[in-house]
Amino acid sequence: MPDIVTEIIHKYNYWLYIILMMIGLYAMIAKNNLIKKLIGMNIFQTAIILFFISIGYKEDATIPIIVGGHGPEMSHQAIEAAQYMNPLPHVLMLTAIVVSVATLGVALALVIMVYQRYQTLEEDEIRMRVTQ
């Protein structure tokens, strides 16, 4: 039993991401207000981005820049890849952040247009007016 508790405490960051994802999922499913749904979607995206950034972290590693230069005089030195972090998850998540911000901006613009047309942001009222 103590092993399970130790394992849960040792990987607390994953539990935080799961909680954040569930908060975002709850907001997207349970809320009727369109703005609250969008904020829930953004919380969900942020949890996923944080998860991928955390799995790209490596203890006692450095950024992947070769110290000491390069060229024929440096070719005799071996490069140990284990000393460097993998930059791919971080680069992909930087792209995901940009896509997330753009998605949120477009969605908010659409919500403004919906509000101007129906004078409400409640999903039930909008659905009722559309069916009339």
Side-chain angles (χ1 to χ4, degrees):
M1 186 67 174
D3 293 338
I4 294 172
V5 174
T6 304
E7 190 70 24
I8 289 172
I9 292 172
H10 187 68
K11 298 186 180 195
Y12 69 92
N13 56 336
Y14 296 121
W15 294 107
L16 286 174
Y17 308 142
I18 290 171
I19 291 169
L20 270 178
M21 285 176 65
M22 293 303 111
I23 290 171
L25 188 64
Y26 170 76
M28 285 191 301
I29 292 173
K31 299 297 179 183
N32 273 337
N33 190 305
L34 295 179
I35 296 292
K36 290 178 182 176
K37 284 182 179 280
L38 286 179
I39 298 302
M41 180 186 73
N42 204 6
I43 291 171
F44 193 86
Q45 289 173 336
T46 303
I48 291 172
I49 288 169
L50 287 173
F51 171 73
F52 277 103
I53 288 174
S54 73
I55 63 172
Y57 176 74
K58 192 176 186 183
E59 278 191 41
D60 299 329
T62 183
I63 55 176
I65 296 175
I66 298 172
V67 179
H70 51 82
E73 67 276 356
M74 299 300 293
S75 64
H76 63 280
Q77 291 184 346
I79 298 172
E80 294 183 33
Q83 296 177 347
Y84 298 104
M85 283 189 223
N86 183 3
L88 187 60
H90 297 87
V91 171
L92 289 174
M93 291 307 107
L94 187 60
T95 304
I97 290 169
V98 171
V99 170
S100 171
V101 169
T103 303
L104 184 64
V106 170
L108 287 173
L110 290 173
V111 166
I112 289 172
M113 292 178 63
V114 166
Y115 182 76
Q116 288 173 346
R117 182 170 182 160
Y118 296 106
Q119 299 299 315
T120 185
L121 292 176
E122 298 300 318
E123 188 179 11
D124 295 341
E125 293 178 26
I126 294 168
R127 187 175 299 136
M128 194 170 67
R129 289 182 187 174
V130 167
T131 57
Q132 290 177 353

